[in-house]
Amino acid sequence: MEIFKGIPVSAGVAIGRVLVLDDARVRIPRRTVDSNEVKGELTKLESALEMSRAELLDLESRAHQRLGDDAAQIFAFHRGMLGDPSLTGPIRERIERERVTAEFSVVQAFGDLAEWFRSLDDPSFSAKVDDVWDLERRVLRHLIGEQKTRLARLTEPAVVVSHELTPSEAASFTPETVMAFVTDVGGRTSHTAIMAHAMGIPAVVGAGRLTAAAQDGDLIIVDGDRGVIVLNPDEETVQEHRAYIERQRLFRTSLADLASEEATTTCGEHITLMGNIEFPREAAAVIEMGGEGVGLYRTEFLFLTKDDEPTEEEQFETYAEAVRSLGGRPITFRTFDLGADKYTSKQAKDPERNPFLGLRSIRYCMQNLPMFRTQLRAILRASALGPARIMFPLITTLTELRQARMVLRDVMEDLEDEGVPFDRGLKVGMMVESPAAAVMASAFAREVDFFSIGTNDLVQYVLAVDRTNEHVASLYTPSHPAVLRLVKDVIRAARRQGVEVSICGEIAGDVEYTMLLLGMGLRTLSASPGAIPQLKRVIRSVDIETCERLARKVGSLDSERLVAAQLRDAARKVIPEAFDGRSVED
Ligand code: PEP
Ligand code: MG
């Protein structure tokens, strides 16, 4: 039995069998296959080699046309290497002789070749080492593509263990195939983590070296409530976790009754609970969990599940589905927040050095106006079907906001000219998720109908901590007084100017923060649908005066640890079941 500690990002505990999804960027562990699977590995290898050769041939001819003979030679050399039996022969032999996976054999053979080039005491040969790695990456990419097939071939749900998962990879999972996932890297509010929420499966990220230790078929416990992973647990540990799963199931069943109840405090204040969604099918879950509408629709996930830009018609159909399934309840469409860890295939080919500070969100949209306009058209058309609002992400300057609004006005005029119906009174708002927007909230409040505070990004930009980086995860603290002070200022500025304000960062769904947020003056929270019942339970157990007292107390503290402890103590009293523990320690 081996215990790993990571960052809990999606609640629940799962006990199942491991499926390791390898990644070309990590060491490929040595894994053997059954003798009847050797043929499959060889076929996988042949097709990866074939696809790599075809790709190189294409690159060679394009390089020849555009750059001439010398550039084309590089690809010809790569193609030559792939056709050389002294490289490919040993790959096949190792698969047959040692019954290892094709990817492991590829990595070994390329490693040997690189070593050989390096050992030749000639600079022109040692320079070839980079070519070897480049070629290895190409072949592995085609082999790693096989991972999806492995997932599809699963006959029962597995626990996916992977070094890293992109949000779009995670989006391809279904609860029928993946019962939980764990990644070696990642942070609390990475979008891959958010995907796990959306699918309602337990997940832990930043688990260190789990990929190297876990083997396909190993028994594993993934505790998405505490961020603990137990590899090959003993029977007692399994039983203990099964009992916990059952207690949690009973707790959730008891919360289910709250779905039809009002989210009203004991002193009679109504709190609007909304859901965050990534796909239209989740809109139904929001209602089922007792939400009053969608406070944040992360529309960019439509982009992430396909290679090409979705057409206006495709987008309209998708948005219309969300609006229709809400049956007259409100929905806030956030325009594409692409970039950072949610990149298009175009961005993936040409990665930025600092993507979270780069061409992201509204900046990307403003530099890709035809794409932006297409999305606005689709959202506006959907607004004719039910109450919709539109919201721009990552606004940092008034100019940016004004320009985005100008594009929106222009698109509205086009639709009007064409006689296409849409809601002319549609409210326009912005995410407050950059320090600049938070500090200048009063100025922004004059130009929008509503604010939605995005603490996931606000925390990372205020504290200079990458939200996806497990190495600095302990510094990613929404309880930091600097963050809380900004949130408070934004709420105050909005209220003073009569602008609606809500919060949609992950802390909106974290019961430890609910009393503080109410005490700071928020009356609308938007969280992942699964969090709504717990939030309702807290809201129905507290009064605003107590929350305000807590907010004042917390406001006088200058340490994020003291704040976190204070909030946890208060929440534990109200909803102790959310803090149920198990004996396997961190
Ligand atoms: C946020 O930044 O808090 C937010 C809700 O947006 P996202 O997590 O999609 O960046
Ligand atoms: Mg954000």
Side-chain angles (χ1 to χ4, degrees):
M1 177 163 111
E2 215 176 337
I3 297 167
F4 294 80
K5 183 81 180 92
I7 304 161
V9 292
S10 184
V13 172
I15 304 175
R17 298 280 165 191
V18 166
L19 176 80
V20 182
L21 289 190
D22 291 329
D23 186 289
R25 283 152 290 184
V26 294
R27 184 180 70 78
I28 306 271
R30 183 178 198 280
R31 228 182 328 274
T32 53
V33 295
D34 284 345
S35 47
N36 59 2
E37 288 173 323
V38 167
K39 211 166 146 218
E41 290 301 311
L42 287 169
T43 314
K44 211 168 87 177
L45 172 71
E46 291 314 327
S47 87
L49 291 176
E50 187 49 47
M51 282 190 282
S52 304
R53 275 190 221 108
E55 210 170 62
L56 287 165
L57 192 62
D58 182 47
L59 285 170
E60 190 181 326
S61 87
R62 277 195 282 150
H64 186 78
Q65 279 164 15
R66 289 188 50 217
L67 308 166
D69 245 7
D70 284 350
Q73 277 304 317
I74 299 168
F75 299 112
F77 171 63
H78 284 199
R79 212 157 48 80
M81 276 201 283
L82 278 192
D84 186 345
S86 68
L87 174 68
T88 54
I91 302 179
R92 292 189 193 93
E93 277 161 30
R94 191 188 296 267
I95 296 173
E96 285 170 333
R97 196 179 58 242
E98 299 180 23
R99 286 198 284 112
V100 288
T101 58
E103 52 270 31
F104 180 76
S105 193
V106 162
V107 169
Q108 296 304 305
F110 278 84
D112 291 346
L113 183 63
E115 199 45 51
W116 182 71
F117 274 131
R118 219 181 274 124
S119 70
L120 300 173
D121 206 13
D122 179 332
S124 68
F125 277 118
S126 43
K128 298 269 184 272
V129 171
D130 284 345
D131 289 293
V132 173
W133 295 144
D134 190 22
L135 193 53
E136 181 202 73
R137 262 200 307 277
R138 188 179 300 284
V139 177
L140 280 178
R141 208 176 58 234
H142 290 296
L143 279 172
I144 301 300
E146 284 294 300
Q147 304 297 354
K148 282 195 180 137
T149 327
R150 292 184 67 211
L151 268 182
R153 261 196 258 126
L154 280 175
T155 49
E156 55 187 58
V159 172
V160 166
V161 172
S162 179
H163 179 69
E164 188 175 14
L165 285 171
T166 63
S168 45
E169 281 165 338
S172 71
F173 294 168
T174 64
E176 289 76 42
T177 52
V178 179
M179 62 197 299
F181 72 72
V182 187
T183 56
D184 292 344
V185 302
R188 191 176 296 280
T189 61
S190 62
H191 288 93
T192 303
I194 287 168
M195 275 311 303
H197 270 304
M199 292 179 297
I201 63 171
V204 176
V205 302
R209 34 171 214 99
L210 182 66
T211 314
Q215 302 269 349
D216 277 358
D218 280 352
L219 189 65
I220 191 170
I221 299 175
V222 178
D223 183 341
D225 294 336
R226 295 189 312 154
V228 175
I229 298 118
V230 191
L231 192 60
N232 295 315
D234 57 30
E235 188 50 31
E236 193 186 330
T237 309
V238 171
Q239 287 314 329
E240 191 185 355
H241 281 81
R242 283 204 203 291
Y244 173 77
I245 293 171
E246 180 56 15
R247 286 201 301 279
Q248 287 295 308
R249 193 187 63 76
L250 292 174
F251 172 45
R252 270 195 301 278
T253 312
S254 76
L255 291 176
D257 297 342
L258 291 177
S260 54
E261 302 286 335
E262 284 256 322
T264 306
T265 60
T266 54
C267 57
E269 184 86 31
H270 176 75
I271 308 301
T272 308
L273 290 181
M274 310 286 276
N276 292 349
I277 65 168
E278 287 72 37
F279 300 104
R281 62 172 182 269
E282 294 171 84
V286 173
I287 302 171
E288 198 185 310
M289 295 287 170
E292 297 183 41
V294 168
L296 167 67
Y297 178 3
R298 293 184 166 99
T299 57
E300 61 278 1
F301 275 78
L302 176 63
F303 223 115
L304 301 183
T305 47
K306 54 208 301 303
D307 284 340
D308 309 317
E309 185 186 324
T311 64
E312 180 182 326
E313 231 26 61
E314 258 175 283
Q315 291 186 52
F316 169 68
E317 285 305 327
T318 311
Y319 304 154
E321 185 190 335
V323 174
R324 285 197 194 102
S325 56
L326 284 169
R329 295 171 185 86
I331 181 165
T332 300
F333 288 96
R334 181 178 71 186
T335 57
F336 290 142
D337 182 11
L338 289 161
D341 63 340
K342 292 176 290 191
Y343 37 80
T344 60
S345 44
K346 205 162 86 191
Q347 288 175 311
K349 284 194 191 106
D350 191 11
E352 293 177 280
R353 277 188 299 278
N354 243 326
F356 274 101
L357 301 180
L359 193 56
R360 179 189 171 192
S361 297
I362 195 68
R363 305 168 183 179
Y364 184 79
C365 287
M366 294 307 288
Q367 288 195 27
N368 289 275
L369 277 179
M371 177 203 75
F372 190 33
R373 292 176 65 95
T374 302
Q375 174 174 46
L376 294 175
R377 279 181 69 92
I379 294 175
L380 286 169
R381 284 172 58 197
S383 76
L385 309 172
R389 312 196 299 179
I390 209 162
M391 168 161 85
F392 301 121
L394 203 70
I395 294 288
T396 53
T397 68
L398 278 170
T399 313
E400 211 169 32
L401 174 65
R402 288 174 188 156
Q403 283 172 345
R405 292 202 69 144
M406 217 147 67
V407 178
L408 179 65
R409 263 196 306 276
D410 201 45
V411 173
M412 282 179 165
E413 275 169 27
D414 283 357
L415 290 178
E416 229 151 37
D417 290 349
E418 294 166 34
V420 176
F422 66 94
D423 176 10
R424 284 173 177 72
L426 162 127
K427 288 192 171 158
V428 181
M430 61 180 263
M431 299 275 302
V432 178
E433 53 183 346
S434 67
V439 171
M440 301 287 289
S442 296
F444 284 106
R446 286 192 281 272
E447 311 212 6
V448 288
D449 298 313
F450 65 92
F451 283 156
S452 186
I453 305 173
T455 42
N456 300 343
D457 277 310
L458 190 59
V459 170
Q460 77 163 342
Y461 293 129
V462 170
L463 303 182
V465 179
D466 180 347
R467 65 191 267 190
T468 67
N469 184 339
E470 71 283 4
H471 300 298
V472 288
S474 63
L475 295 173
Y476 185 92
T477 47
S479 60
H480 195 297
V483 174
L484 298 181
R485 214 166 287 171
L486 278 181
V487 170
K488 199 165 117 198
D489 289 350
V490 174
I491 298 167
R492 196 178 295 155
R495 285 179 133 196
R496 223 179 267 146
Q497 306 208 31
V499 164
E500 279 179 55
V501 59
S502 61
I503 185 162
C504 63
E506 292 302 290
I507 64 167
D510 184 341
V511 289
E512 292 186 21
Y513 284 85
T514 315
M515 291 175 72
L516 173 65
L517 298 176
L518 301 191
M520 282 175 153
L522 283 168
R523 294 296 176 264
T524 305
L525 313 178
S526 191
S528 65
I532 292 174
Q534 296 201 31
L535 294 178
K536 242 187 209 184
R537 165 85 179 275
V538 174
I539 290 163
R540 290 172 60 83
S541 317
V542 298
D543 63 86
I544 294 293
E545 213 182 294
T546 309
C547 296
E548 285 174 346
R549 219 176 304 124
L550 177 68
R552 273 197 302 275
K553 182 152 187 206
V554 159
S556 68
L557 302 174
D558 54 12
S559 140
E560 74 289 349
R561 284 176 182 231
L562 288 179
V563 171
Q566 194 68 236
L567 297 183
R568 195 166 309 126
D569 282 352
R572 199 194 295 265
K573 285 189 190 121
V574 177
I575 186 163
E577 299 91 333
F579 298 85
D580 184 1
R582 270 124 295 144
S583 71
V584 170
E585 273 318 320
D586 305 355

